[in-house]
Amino acid sequence: MTAPLIVPLIPRRARPGAREHGRPGTARRLPMAAAPEVPAVPDDVVYGFRRMDESGRVGDRAMIGALLAAGGGRLTLTAAGGVVIARRDPAGMGTMPSKPYLVIPAALRRRCGLRPGDRVLLAVFPADDALAAYSFAVVDQALRAHTPVADEGRRP
């Protein structure tokens, strides 16, 4: 014995532009949410972060390697506003080390408020032959200035 076949019930497809109950009309499109544009990390900057030791050495093979890629040489180190900048300079007082680290002199560390064990954000700008070491106090200040959360919505 075979059972009788059951005919599938498939609803008819509504015509584009038709309204319910067969009333003609124009179909209204729902508004689309616009996706915010997310900025990309530039290709011409190399970022990293490392801890500074008690001698002021900050070592990162990739970072210092990016600065060394243009060849050895002398450096001029300056500091202002919590940022130490090392620039390749033929008349510079410091030399590029053969090992992958940079030594931040004590006077510049004091000027930037850097202490042994502090972490620094490193940014190498190969096109400019420069490396910037940002104290995390500066990074925190920048993040707080651009926070997407309003202060009044926070709990005490």
Side-chain angles (χ1 to χ4, degrees):
M1 268 211 281
T2 59
L5 293 176
I6 299 175
V7 179
L9 179 61
I10 302 173
R12 282 198 298 169
R13 178 185 252 179
R15 291 187 325 247
R19 289 184 156 183
E20 290 183 307
H21 307 296
R23 294 183 186 165
T26 307
R28 194 173 58 138
R29 292 182 173 255
L30 294 175
M32 297 283 290
E37 192 161 327
V38 178
V41 176
D43 293 334
D44 60 341
V45 182
V46 181
Y47 291 102
F49 71 93
R50 286 291 180 253
R51 188 176 303 273
M52 185 181 64
D53 71 5
E54 60 277 347
S55 303
R57 287 186 297 212
V58 180
D60 186 314
R61 199 173 293 277
M63 304 302 294
I64 306 302
L67 190 58
L68 285 172
R74 303 190 70 72
L75 294 174
T76 295
L77 280 93
T78 57
V83 181
V84 177
I85 299 175
R87 291 187 185 276
R88 191 177 309 279
D89 181 5
M93 303 262 319
T95 59
M96 273 304 290
S98 59
K99 296 188 178 183
Y101 64 81
L102 178 71
V103 178
I104 300 173
L108 297 182
R109 292 194 309 261
R110 279 191 301 275
R111 188 178 301 166
C112 292
L114 293 171
R115 294 180 305 271
D118 283 354
R119 291 181 181 246
V120 292
L121 173 67
L122 300 171
V124 175
F125 305 91
D128 297 325
D129 286 335
L131 177 144
Y134 299 89
S135 71
F136 265 57
V138 171
V139 173
D140 181 66
Q141 192 176 33
L143 290 174
R144 289 177 190 271
H146 295 90
T147 183
V149 181
D151 287 342
E152 59 270 356
R154 293 187 186 164
R155 287 185 175 175

